Amino acid sequence: MKILVTGGAGYIGSILVPELLRNGNEVTVIDNFMYGQASLLDCCFDAKLNIVRGDARDNAIISEHIKKADVIFPLACITGAPGCDRDPIGATYTNFEAVKMITELRGKNQLIIFPTTNSGYGVGQEGIHCTEETPLNPISLYGRLKVDAEKAVLDSGNSITLRLATVFGISPRMRTDLLVNDFVYRAVTDKFLVLFQAHFKRNYIHIRDVARAFIHSLNNSSKMKGQPFNVGLSDANLSKMELCEEIKKQAPDFYFAEASIGEDPDKRNYIVSNKKIEKTGFKPAVSLQEGITELIKGYKILRKNSYSNL
């Protein structure tokens, strides 16, 4: 197939694009390389890859390349609440307006598979799993923009949305500011961590399973179209304290404690059901524990200041 990926050199795209190429697809990546990343260099030998250095918000660029695509993956995004809060105008145009533009430019036979976030659930009810039927209640600009973009994508038809859990794991375009990646980095380098609201829970998913979920959605689009799907590890609805306990099993010198005063600016607190996508035949392949092992190994190579969005 001919696939257009905006933001294809980002954290997720750098894992997904090589997989799409290996599966025989022709892939066009549009990315502005705003972080100076070189994450797709090892794919440049592949004749099926086309790189466009440009902005996913540019109507002329998108118009030129979207007409050739069978499928569009709009990955370009200012990811996370801190980044959106720093640049709310840029976030609005990247995370919502650019996605809405794609829905308006594409033809009705062109499939969109769009990653949103289960942070749209905001604050859930204790002990009750959020399903795709749970009302969305985003508590950050990032969450609100992703929820609005998801609605625009689903309302446009011929589309699938993936409500991703908090992603972790090593990528050629690495991010150390994601929760698991950050906590493991601190365990390995600082060997201590002070937690705020340590009981707050969320769900997690390995980045390679995110790529697998995209490919699964592509291969099963006929039965998944028109719907949102939670994508996460069903055995990893963990609090921040529980996450640290898992990390300590592999980093025994790691010390962590909850602060008696202060609070986390990220107020998300929910548990998530992933049964809907599991019923379509998708099951994650990488456990949280395997991801922690991978990160500990990777942090013998990486240094944080070069790889964070913060």
Side-chain angles (χ1 to χ4, degrees):
M1 305 186 80
K2 294 181 179 179
I3 300 175
L4 174 64
V5 185
T6 68
Y11 180 62
I12 292 173
S14 298
I15 295 292
L16 175 60
V17 168
E19 287 298 318
L20 293 171
L21 293 168
R22 276 191 285 271
N23 289 347
N25 300 291
E26 296 180 29
V27 182
T28 294
V29 169
I30 298 175
D31 201 295
N32 62 5
F33 297 90
M34 64 185 292
Y35 299 107
Q37 69 268 40
S39 49
L40 295 178
L41 280 177
D42 63 338
C43 298
C44 289
F45 76 96
D46 197 319
K48 301 187 301 299
L49 175 66
N50 178 35
I51 299 285
V52 179
R53 192 179 188 104
D55 198 310
R57 298 169 292 186
D58 189 319
N59 185 291
I61 291 175
I62 298 297
S63 296
E64 177 185 353
H65 295 282
I66 199 170
K67 58 190 176 185
K68 307 170 188 175
D70 301 308
V71 183
I72 305 110
F73 294 157
L75 304 189
C77 181
I78 295 178
T79 305
C84 290
D85 290 343
R86 278 198 309 274
D87 183 10
I89 295 174
T92 299
Y93 276 94
T94 302
N95 297 6
F96 175 69
E97 296 293 346
V99 176
K100 186 170 180 285
M101 178 177 67
I102 285 173
T103 68
E104 294 167 350
L105 291 175
R106 62 89 184 244
K108 63 180 181 180
N109 293 322
Q110 293 174 294
L111 175 68
I112 297 177
I113 303 178
F114 176 62
T116 181
T117 169
N118 64 24
S119 68
Y121 295 123
V123 178
Q125 295 178 271
E126 186 174 354
I128 298 178
H129 288 76
C130 295
T131 72
E132 291 79 359
E133 304 303 316
T134 300
L136 296 170
N137 182 33
I139 56 176
S140 66
L141 175 61
Y142 171 66
R144 292 193 297 273
L145 291 172
K146 294 296 274 187
V147 166
D148 290 346
E150 179 185 70
K151 184 177 187 304
V153 168
L154 291 175
D155 286 350
S156 72
N158 197 18
S159 57
I160 301 165
T161 64
L162 303 178
R163 294 177 179 173
L164 303 181
T166 297
V167 186
F168 64 92
I170 297 289
S171 166
R173 177 5 211 167
M174 188 55 184
R175 286 185 59 194
T176 56
D177 53 308
L178 297 166
L179 191 71
V180 178
N181 295 358
D182 177 42
F183 280 17
V184 175
Y185 185 89
R186 293 172 187 268
V188 169
T189 59
D190 302 335
K191 301 190 185 304
F192 74 92
L193 178 63
V194 177
L195 299 170
F196 298 94
Q197 278 99 28
H199 61 286
F200 280 10
K201 291 192 172 189
R202 65 172 83 174
N203 198 212
Y204 304 95
I205 186 72
H206 193 273
I207 189 168
R208 294 191 180 274
D209 283 324
V210 172
R212 290 180 58 249
F214 271 101
I215 293 170
H216 175 82
S217 301
L218 181 61
N219 293 339
N220 294 273
S221 61
S222 60
K223 62 181 179 182
M224 293 176 67
K225 281 191 295 190
Q227 303 175 69
F229 293 86
N230 293 334
V231 181
L233 285 161
S234 291
D235 61 354
N237 281 297
L238 302 178
S239 69
K240 287 181 279 187
M241 182 67 75
E242 290 167 332
L243 172 60
C244 286
E245 289 167 354
E246 287 297 324
I247 295 169
K248 187 174 176 64
K249 291 176 183 177
Q250 300 189 49
D253 294 336
F254 181 34
Y255 172 80
F256 52 93
E258 184 171 12
S260 57
I261 59 173
E263 59 183 20
D264 192 333
D266 189 339
K267 304 297 183 187
R268 283 182 288 160
N269 182 23
Y270 48 78
I271 57 177
V272 177
S273 169
N274 303 292
K275 289 182 179 179
K276 184 178 177 182
I277 196 168
E278 290 172 356
K279 287 179 180 178
T280 70
F282 176 80
K283 291 288 181 68
V286 185
S287 69
L288 177 64
Q289 294 75 17
E290 289 170 327
I292 292 169
T293 302
E294 172 194 47
L295 286 162
I296 290 172
K297 192 184 304 181
Y299 288 144
K300 294 178 181 178
I301 302 170
L302 302 180
R303 287 296 175 263
K304 183 174 184 176
N305 59 353
S306 299
Y307 294 94
S308 174
N309 282 359
L310 299 180

